[in-house]
Amino acid sequence: MIQFFRVFKEYPGPRMALDGVTFRISRGEFVFLTGASGAGKTTLLRLIYRAEVPTNGRIIVNGRNVVSLPAEKVPFLRRTMGIVFQDFGLIPSKTVFENVSYLPRILGVSSRALRLMAEDILDRVGLGDRLDVYPSALSGGEQQRVAIARAVINKPELLIADEPAGNLDPELSLEIIRLFAEINKQGTTVLLATHDPSIQTLVGDRILALDRGVLVRNDILRPGAVEQ
Amino acid sequence: MTILQALRYFAGEAQRNMRRSWKVSLLAILVTAVSLFLSGALFLLGANLGRSLGAWESQARIVIYLEAGARSEAVDRVEAELARLGGIGGWTVVSPEEAARRLEGRLPELGELLQGFDEEPLPTSIEVDLGRARNREVEVTEWLQNLEQLPQVAGVDDDRQWIRQIALASALLRAGAAIIGSLLIAGSAFIIASVIRLAALLHREEIRVLRLVGATEFFVRGPFIVEGILQGTLGSAIAVAALSMLYLFVERSDLPSIVRSLLFSSFLTPGELLLLAVLGIGAGLVGGLLSVRKTAAGLW
């Protein structure tokens, strides 16, 4: 599903954000990406969805070399994955329904089908009755669930989350992680970055740990769960 | 998504953007409307002046005044010259009595001035309709200069001289309208671009999110281009409405009839109105395109 071959990313300064990182994530895995702030977690995720390109190395996502992917093809790569951010990334001027249905809408799904899709996915995250409210009317946990609904509405093969529970209290964090686990059970590969050690061992199949850009841990948590 | 669905989506997003930043959008619309109104008003004046000129040119005539007391031999001499020029539409000899009658008819209060002279106070004159000879301007001018040298001729009034001056003023007005109009419309396009760019900058986080969820540049930038077109269209509509109101106001006002007939004898034709609308829409389109250039404020 995702393969990194000796990936380096250097920022001007110079500062080495990723230093020869190599790993492989198989289809259907639930992988935690851990490390302290500044370890390179966000950079690694941004490389996967081509928000950045590496200084050196090769990155294969779903059989596609994302490093050499032409810029105009990047949106099509991103449509195969769902992305969840720590700050939720919801558009405040759009309702929950509009936020969630944006991608299928631009893909040409009819208004009626859009409504059904949005209702279904929001039901699954427990917000089926909040379609027409604006994000500002929701709590932090609810906003993050909307962001997750938006990320998975198009049934992506890969779900990437960057500190999705970082702004939430421990109870809500757990709820969000369980939601990711449910999504993973339905076959979606999940790569979730977090610096919180308390949630890492709850549901994950594997753990990747970064320390100042170097991959220092690549451990299988549940043998047998990972399809090699 | 079909093109029609995409356009509907762009129009919806553009309307939403305009509602969110309604003050700056209104500013862009009004600037476009004022620019098009001024350009249209200048064009209207130029067009009406041009139409009046056309009418005057077709009626332009030359009046040859003979020396006082000129006899029929003098008339014959001038008529011979007219025949020599050739291509003339026709001429009318106006006797002193006829000239006096016309003057009394047009300006009765001056009638008394013509009383008590031993001789006829007004000279015999010949009114010439140039006809086809109107097109031989240089030749006619030289011919008139020679005619003025004849001892029988006291003077010549040539309508073409003042028509030429008004034609020059009209041409300058039209050129000025074209230059000022172009500058104003270009200015509108830049203001529309700036307004849209400002709105886009305010919502750059949304643009970032749209890209991350897989929106292509077509979908990210399309609404901004359509927003420009909408602003240009609304500006055009306001300008056309304001021009129509100005025209109706002048038509029904107490302005001297010469002003009304000279400058507002007719409104812009549907084709000219369409051109004005197209210019406004074009300004909006250019503004929208400028706003989404890759170099625009590092946004794209």
Side-chain angles (χ1 to χ4, degrees):
Chain A
M1 183 86 209
I2 302 173
Q3 289 168 284
F4 270 52
F5 298 104
R6 292 189 54 74
V7 173
F8 293 83
K9 177 66 186 178
E10 188 176 0
Y11 290 114
R15 186 173 66 84
M16 192 62 84
L18 289 180
D19 194 352
V21 172
T22 298
F23 66 87
R24 177 180 168 174
I25 295 174
S26 300
R27 197 173 296 277
E29 271 193 273
F30 191 130
V31 178
F32 277 107
L33 176 63
T34 69
S37 289
K41 302 187 296 295
T42 299
T43 300
L44 188 147
L45 297 184
R46 286 170 63 81
L47 289 171
I48 294 173
Y49 56 82
R50 247 297 286 272
E52 300 201 36
V53 285
T55 313
N56 210 341
R58 204 158 152 231
I59 301 168
I60 308 291
V61 177
N62 245 340
R64 273 184 283 201
N65 183 351
V66 299
V67 180
S68 59
L69 198 66
E72 64 273 15
K73 296 268 173 67
V74 171
F76 301 99
L77 167 79
R78 290 179 183 164
R79 288 176 192 179
T80 66
M81 51 181 83
I83 307 169
V84 179
F85 310 96
Q86 181 176 4
D87 63 357
F88 320 133
L90 297 178
I91 298 172
S93 59
K94 292 187 191 291
T95 63
V96 166
F97 166 68
E98 290 167 332
N99 265 286
V100 166
S101 61
Y102 182 79
L103 180 58
R105 186 180 178 197
I106 65 170
L107 292 176
V109 175
S110 71
S111 303
R112 202 171 151 192
L114 271 183
R115 193 81 189 175
L116 291 173
M117 283 171 80
E119 278 172 0
D120 176 50
I121 201 72
L122 285 165
D123 269 340
R124 282 170 57 192
V125 298
L127 291 171
D129 57 341
R130 312 302 296 273
L131 261 80
D132 297 315
V133 302
Y134 286 89
S136 56
L138 301 174
S139 68
E142 287 173 327
Q143 289 190 44
Q144 192 58 295
R145 279 188 277 157
V146 173
I148 293 168
R150 180 183 63 191
V152 297
I153 192 169
N154 210 36
K155 296 186 172 60
E157 296 163 55
L158 172 65
L159 181 58
I160 294 171
D162 190 1
E163 301 277 8
N167 283 342
L168 306 176
D169 60 46
E171 202 173 316
L172 279 175
S173 298
L174 208 57
E175 194 184 311
I176 293 296
I177 298 302
R178 285 198 186 112
L179 196 53
F180 278 104
E182 271 177 45
I183 293 163
N184 173 247
K185 271 184 199 157
Q186 284 155 25
T188 303
T189 309
V190 176
L191 176 57
L192 192 154
T194 179
H195 66 278
D196 182 356
S198 67
I199 58 173
Q200 290 161 12
T201 53
L202 290 174
V203 290
D205 299 322
R206 183 207 290 262
I207 191 158
L208 297 174
L210 286 169
D211 182 17
R212 280 167 288 185
V214 178
L215 188 67
V216 292
R217 194 176 162 200
N218 183 355
D219 295 342
I220 293 173
L221 298 172
R222 293 178 217 293
V226 179
E227 169 207 331
Q228 290 296 334
Chain B
M1 191 181 239
T2 63
I3 288 289
L4 201 64
Q5 281 176 314
L7 286 177
R8 204 181 304 146
Y9 163 75
F10 291 165
E13 290 296 302
Q15 274 180 44
R16 185 199 295 258
N17 287 347
M18 282 168 67
R19 273 203 306 272
R20 276 193 297 177
S21 337
W22 70 270
K23 284 182 187 167
V24 284
S25 294
L26 185 65
L27 174 75
I29 291 167
L30 290 179
V31 166
T32 308
V34 169
S35 302
L36 288 170
F37 174 78
L38 291 175
S39 308
L42 287 171
F43 187 79
L44 182 64
L45 292 179
N48 276 316
L49 201 54
R51 284 184 196 114
S52 301
L53 268 175
W56 292 334
E57 274 171 353
S58 66
Q59 294 164 18
R61 49 180 204 168
I62 290 169
V63 182
I64 302 162
Y65 296 100
L66 302 183
E67 287 291 351
R71 303 192 179 282
S72 61
E73 297 81 41
V75 174
D76 292 344
R77 176 77 181 86
V78 173
E79 284 182 330
E81 286 296 324
L82 286 166
R84 190 174 64 77
L85 177 65
I88 294 227
W91 63 82
T92 310
V93 178
V94 180
S95 66
E97 296 79 19
E98 172 63 15
R101 219 174 9 257
R102 284 187 189 175
L103 183 65
E104 281 174 2
R106 285 176 195 165
L107 302 164
E109 62 275 21
L110 297 181
E112 282 181 18
L113 291 175
L114 302 175
Q115 309 297 323
F117 287 95
D118 293 336
E119 294 179 3
E120 289 293 347
L122 298 176
T124 300
S125 61
I126 301 173
E127 295 174 350
V128 181
D129 167 17
L130 280 173
R132 283 184 289 110
R134 189 175 287 117
N135 301 326
R136 291 145 51 203
E137 196 162 330
V138 177
E139 191 188 340
V140 170
T141 303
E142 280 175 10
W143 174 82
L144 270 180
Q145 283 167 352
N146 291 332
L147 193 74
E148 277 187 285
Q149 305 304 318
L150 292 178
Q152 296 88 343
V153 174
V156 172
D157 263 357
D158 184 357
D159 282 355
R160 293 176 315 150
Q161 285 175 351
W162 61 265
I163 289 175
R164 221 175 278 138
Q165 286 169 358
I166 294 177
L168 179 66
S170 170
L172 287 174
L173 184 68
R174 286 179 190 215
I179 293 168
I180 293 169
S182 303
L183 290 174
L184 287 173
I185 291 167
S188 304
F190 277 105
I191 286 174
I192 288 173
S194 304
V195 163
I196 296 174
R197 204 176 302 155
L198 184 67
L201 274 171
L202 288 174
H203 303 108
R204 64 193 308 166
E205 186 56 22
E206 289 180 21
I207 292 170
R208 181 185 74 89
V209 172
L210 295 182
R211 286 192 172 126
L212 289 178
V213 298
T216 55
E217 291 304 302
F218 177 69
F219 281 99
V220 174
R221 300 183 198 202
F224 294 104
I225 296 172
V226 171
E227 187 179 338
I229 294 173
L230 275 181
Q231 289 179 358
T233 307
L234 288 171
S236 301
I238 293 172
V240 168
L243 275 172
S244 307
M245 288 198 300
L246 172 73
Y247 178 73
L248 289 174
F249 170 76
V250 172
E251 201 179 36
R252 292 171 188 178
S253 70
D254 295 331
L255 281 174
S257 62
I258 179 74
V259 175
R260 277 186 288 157
S261 63
L262 187 64
L263 301 176
F264 292 93
S265 58
S266 61
F267 193 51
L268 297 174
T269 63
E272 288 162 346
L273 286 174
L274 186 67
L275 175 69
L276 207 59
V278 167
L279 283 174
I281 295 166
L285 173 65
V286 170
L289 289 171
L290 284 176
S291 73
V292 298
R293 275 183 314 167
K294 277 198 184 268
T295 52
L299 183 69
W300 309 106

